[in-house]
């Protein structure tokens, strides 16, 4: 039975990364593998640069164990942050929990099967930081023992991430049954963790200088007061005795976790949220149009799922943060622009294009419309039974994304216009271009959402975090941003950036017309055939 459950979870995992077609040919499967491999290598290369920054000074003074400890802790923290709320959705809030529990299946088998697929995810995320760290160390000073320890510790680190993510998932599940606004609580916790991570990242040089100046003192303190951390660092250097000890401790902790989740699993699933009794008040609801009612439904769904908000709404916060940062650091930005002016005054004409490219790359992170189609799930026929047109359902999904994005986008652009002293007609054109490209991206996201729709899922992480089209959208957003800047730079000798901006706006309007026609006709028909 356990083998069958694990096979079922693996099928769901593979299905989540497919494009929604049941009969995929080998070329599409090969293209998918190439895309994922390229994306993985791109992220791993960026982590390799961070490992080089930290490893060069530490390895040069033979503080290998401290280097491995820091990179291992970073891999654990980052991977736990990424998987923080996935565990709650996968273990406690899966749609088929009731179905599986009604069968003669032991709950521990269900838990182990779900944790197995989570463990695969933990390996994928942990390896993106741990493997580049080990590769850099081996290139600096090759040691077979370090290679063997590094491979073994990858699975140990992933198991630690699984333990921490499962515990966080338990607390999130408990909170979701005690508070009505649990999604916002989850988002606030995640933003706090994200803020702490970026605080550490921006102060990395200061911490590194402190480590180098006090490496002997820090080593002695960790050995006396935080021996497990010291043992982890020594295990990564090829010390098999420490490696064996670390493996045993982690396995014992994992066994304790399994026992704990086995006990708490049924208690969490059978618990009900406590609600205060409310007196009945005769309240009249305002009459709303069908499209406004559908938009209200989409907004309620967005604000009630923490995984949805964090993965498809983080860019809203980034745009506000970028705007405030631009105003606070105006003098620094102008000084930075002045350096480019000294190199080539013509480069200043590229600033509006660069701002537009930044806005596009961030809005692609706010792709609420892509998973919104798949999130219909079992409610698909409820929507189809309503007396509304399918094109109105898609339009509501598109409009709610546009309205959520347009405010922060214009705020960021206005702040950058003020900070970089962009005046006159160019400022107005840039604002208009922001509106046009925000509309274009909302139509593009609806297109991807319908094309990659998958209604059969058991965990909300499948349409949100494991949606192939979401990954394609983010990757395409960065490519489009680089293409805009590159095109402006290559053509600036015969097409001035202000004129290029008008051309880009006309092209965007043309694509809006095409995608709007597709959504109202073929897209609506494809949506109707999803069931």
């Amino acid at each position: 039975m356990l083998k069958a459950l694990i096979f079922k979870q693996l099928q769901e995992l593979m299905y989540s990364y497919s494009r929604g077609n049941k009969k995929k040919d080998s070329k599409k499967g090969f293209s998918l593998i190439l895309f994922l491999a390229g994306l993985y290598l791109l992220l791993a290369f960026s982590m390799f640069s961070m490992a080089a920054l930290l490893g060069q000074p530490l390895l040069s003074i033979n503080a290998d164990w401290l280097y491995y400890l820091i990179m291992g802790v970073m891999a654990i923290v980052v991977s736990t942050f990424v998987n923080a709320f996935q565990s709650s959705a996968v273990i406690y809030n899966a749609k088929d929990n009731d179905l599986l529990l009604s069968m003669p299946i032991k709950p521990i088998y269900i838990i182990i099967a779900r944790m197995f697929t989570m463990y695969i995810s933990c390996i994928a995320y942990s390896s993106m930081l741990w493997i580049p760290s080990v590769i850099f160390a081996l290139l600096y000073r090759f040691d077979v023992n370090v290679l063997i320890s590094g491979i073994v510790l990858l699975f140990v680190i992933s198991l630690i991430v699984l333990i921490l993510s499962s515990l966080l998932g338990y607390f999130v599940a408990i909170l979701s049954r005690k508070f009505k606004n649990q999604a916002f609580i989850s988002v606030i916790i995640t933003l706090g963790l994200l803020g702490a991570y970026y605080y550490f990242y921006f102060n990395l040089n200061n911490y590194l200088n402190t480590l180098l100046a006090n490496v002997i003192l820090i080593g002695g303190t960790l050995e006396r007061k935080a021996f497990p951390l010291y043992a982890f660092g020594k295990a990564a250097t090829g010390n098999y005795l420490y490696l064996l000890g670390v493996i045993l401790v982690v396995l014992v902790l994992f066994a304790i976790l399994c026992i704990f989740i086995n006990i708490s699993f049924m208690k969490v699933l059978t618990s009900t949220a406590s609600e205060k009794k409310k007196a009945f008040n005769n309240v009249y609801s305002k009459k709303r149009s069908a499209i406004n009612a559908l938009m209200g439904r989409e907004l309620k769904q967005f604000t009630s799922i923490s995984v949805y908000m964090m993965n498809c709404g983080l860019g809203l916060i980034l745009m506000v943060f970028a705007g405030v940062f631009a105003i606070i650091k105006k003098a620094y930005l102008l000084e930075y622009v002045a350096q480019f002016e000294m190199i080539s005054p013509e480069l200043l004409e590229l600033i509006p294009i660069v701002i537009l490219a930044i806005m596009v790359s961030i809005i692609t992170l706010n792709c609420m419309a892509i998973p919104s189609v798949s999130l219909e799930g079992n409610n698909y026929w409820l929507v189809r039974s309503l007396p509304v047109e399918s094109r109105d359902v898609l339009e509501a999904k598109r409009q709610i994304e546009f309205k959520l994005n347009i405010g922060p986008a214009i705020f960021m652009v206005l702040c950058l216009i003020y900070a970089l002293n962009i005046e006159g007609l160019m400022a107005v054109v840039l604002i208009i271009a922001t509106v046009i490209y925000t509309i274009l991206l909302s139509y593009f996201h609806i297109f991807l959402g319908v094309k990659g729709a998958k209604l059969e899922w058991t965990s909300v992480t499948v349409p949100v975090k494991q949606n192939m089209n979401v990954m394609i959208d983010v990757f395409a957003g960065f490519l489009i941003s680089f293409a805009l800047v590159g095109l402006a730079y290559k053509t600036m000798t015969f097409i001035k950036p202000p004129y290029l901006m008008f051309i880009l706006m006309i092209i965007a309007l043309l694509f809006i017309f095409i995608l709007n026609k597709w959504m109202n006709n073929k897209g609506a028909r494809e949506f109707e055939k999803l069931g």
Side-chain angles (χ1 to χ4, degrees):
M1 183 56 70
L2 179 60
K3 187 185 296 186
L5 287 172
I6 292 176
F7 182 71
K8 165 188 169 293
Q9 292 296 125
L10 289 176
Q11 279 188 319
E12 290 180 2
L13 184 64
M14 294 302 297
Y15 174 70
S16 67
Y17 286 107
S18 69
R19 296 294 298 276
N21 299 319
K22 294 183 179 179
K23 297 181 179 179
K24 303 189 296 293
D25 56 14
S26 58
K27 290 184 179 180
K28 288 185 178 180
F30 184 68
S31 301
L32 173 62
I33 293 172
L34 284 180
F35 175 78
L36 291 176
L39 186 62
Y40 180 90
L41 291 175
L42 180 64
L43 294 173
F45 179 77
S46 64
M47 295 302 176
F48 183 86
S49 304
M50 182 185 296
L53 175 66
L54 189 63
Q56 186 73 31
L58 289 176
L59 295 176
S60 63
I61 60 174
N62 295 322
D64 303 42
W65 69 272
L66 187 57
Y67 163 73
Y68 291 120
L69 172 61
I70 294 172
M71 298 309 297
V73 170
M74 288 181 64
I76 291 170
V77 170
V78 173
S79 301
T80 303
F81 170 74
V82 174
N83 290 282
F85 298 99
Q86 181 179 357
S87 58
S88 175
V90 170
I91 297 176
Y92 297 103
N93 297 326
K95 290 200 305 179
D96 61 347
N97 275 339
D98 293 339
L99 176 63
L100 293 176
L101 289 173
S102 66
M103 299 178 181
I105 303 174
K106 294 180 180 180
I108 188 63
Y109 287 172
I110 301 173
I111 296 168
I112 293 174
R114 298 199 189 285
M115 293 180 73
F116 180 79
T117 52
M118 283 181 55
Y119 184 60
I120 294 175
S121 176
C122 292
I123 292 175
Y125 288 119
S126 301
S127 62
M128 277 192 289
L129 203 149
W130 180 248
I131 290 179
S133 306
V134 176
I135 290 175
F136 175 80
L138 292 173
L139 291 175
Y140 188 89
R141 184 167 48 246
F142 184 80
D143 188 340
V144 176
N145 295 325
V146 171
L147 175 61
I148 296 172
S149 299
I151 295 173
V152 174
L153 283 176
L154 170 62
F155 298 98
V156 175
I157 288 172
S158 302
L159 195 56
I160 295 173
V161 173
L162 177 62
I163 294 170
L164 295 175
S165 300
S166 300
L167 288 175
L168 283 173
Y170 168 74
F171 288 114
V172 170
I174 291 296
L175 286 175
S176 66
R177 284 158 173 77
K178 288 187 176 294
F179 301 99
K180 291 185 65 176
N181 55 345
Q182 68 272 16
F184 285 102
I185 293 173
S186 301
V187 169
I188 291 171
I189 294 173
T190 306
L191 290 176
L193 293 173
L194 185 65
Y197 169 76
Y198 278 108
Y199 178 81
F200 171 79
Y201 179 80
F202 287 121
N203 290 278
L204 183 60
N205 286 331
N206 296 332
Y207 296 143
L208 183 58
N209 293 331
T210 303
L211 282 174
L212 294 175
N214 304 280
V215 62
I216 298 177
L217 178 62
I218 292 173
T221 303
L222 287 175
E223 186 176 5
R224 292 191 309 271
K225 298 184 178 181
F227 184 75
L229 295 177
Y230 177 79
F232 179 90
K234 295 296 288 185
T237 61
N239 191 314
Y240 293 114
L241 182 61
Y242 281 105
L243 179 61
L244 181 60
V246 170
I247 293 172
L248 290 175
V249 170
V250 174
L251 288 176
V252 170
L253 291 175
F254 178 70
I256 295 172
L257 172 72
C258 290
I259 296 171
F260 172 75
I261 292 184
N262 188 35
I263 296 172
S264 64
F265 186 66
M266 293 301 298
K267 290 182 179 179
V268 173
L269 292 185
T270 56
S271 63
T272 55
S274 58
E275 296 184 3
K276 296 181 179 179
K277 292 184 178 180
K278 293 183 179 180
F280 173 76
N281 293 320
N282 191 11
V283 179
Y284 292 95
S285 298
K286 292 183 179 180
K287 184 179 179 181
R288 294 190 296 176
S289 63
I291 191 71
N292 286 334
L294 289 170
M295 287 173 59
R297 173 180 174 271
E298 293 296 327
L299 181 61
K300 186 177 181 180
Q301 179 174 250
F302 176 70
T303 56
S304 62
I305 305 174
S306 58
V307 177
Y308 191 14
M309 280 196 289
M310 283 307 306
N311 284 269
C312 300
L314 186 60
L316 301 175
I317 299 171
L318 290 179
M319 285 190 285
V320 174
F321 176 80
V324 174
F325 179 83
I327 293 176
I328 296 175
K329 297 292 183 178
K330 179 179 180 179
Y332 173 78
L333 290 176
L334 290 176
E335 182 181 349
Y336 192 70
V337 169
Q339 294 177 1
F340 277 96
E341 188 176 12
M342 293 175 62
I343 298 172
S344 176
E346 291 80 10
L347 291 177
L348 295 182
E349 297 182 0
L350 295 177
I351 291 178
I353 301 291
V354 172
I355 293 175
L356 180 63
I358 293 172
M359 187 272 299
V360 168
S361 63
I362 295 179
I363 286 185
T364 53
L365 300 176
N366 304 330
C367 50
M368 302 91 169
I370 297 178
S372 68
V373 180
S374 297
L375 281 172
E376 294 295 343
N378 292 339
N379 295 325
Y380 170 77
W381 286 109
L382 178 63
V383 178
R384 294 282 288 111
S385 65
L386 295 174
V388 292
E389 298 288 339
S390 295
R391 63 172 66 94
D392 291 335
V393 176
L394 297 179
E395 177 65 15
K397 296 178 183 295
R398 187 201 68 81
Q399 280 198 32
I400 201 65
E401 179 186 310
F402 169 73
K403 291 185 177 181
L404 286 173
N405 277 319
I406 192 61
I410 290 180
F411 173 79
M412 182 188 72
V413 170
L414 287 174
C415 291
L416 288 171
I417 288 173
Y418 167 76
L420 298 173
N421 294 331
I422 300 175
E423 300 176 348
L425 180 63
M426 196 67 248
V428 177
V429 171
L430 186 55
I431 295 173
I432 296 173
T434 299
V435 176
I436 291 175
Y437 272 84
T438 305
I439 296 173
L440 173 62
L441 288 172
S442 66
Y443 276 107
F444 178 61
H445 291 162
I446 282 292
F447 174 79
L448 291 178
V450 174
K451 288 294 183 180
K454 299 180 287 289
L455 302 180
E456 299 174 4
W457 46 267
T458 57
S459 171
V460 73
T461 59
V462 172
V464 177
K465 295 190 69 171
Q466 299 171 5
N467 192 323
M468 188 60 200
N469 282 3
V470 172
M471 300 172 65
I472 291 174
D473 169 63
V474 174
F475 194 67
F478 285 107
L479 286 180
I480 293 171
S481 301
F482 283 115
L484 288 174
V485 178
L487 179 66
Y489 179 75
K490 289 294 184 180
T491 61
M492 64 185 301
T493 54
F494 54 91
I495 301 179
K496 293 296 182 181
Y499 298 111
L500 179 62
M501 183 77 82
F502 279 107
I503 295 174
L504 292 174
M505 289 167 60
I506 293 172
I507 294 173
L509 288 172
L510 177 62
F511 275 105
I512 288 173
F513 174 78
I514 295 171
L515 288 173
N516 178 67
K517 190 173 182 180
W518 176 89
M519 184 189 74
N520 290 326
N521 295 282
K522 188 176 180 180
R525 290 194 298 270
E526 289 186 17
F527 179 75
E528 291 172 356
K529 294 177 182 178
L530 291 177

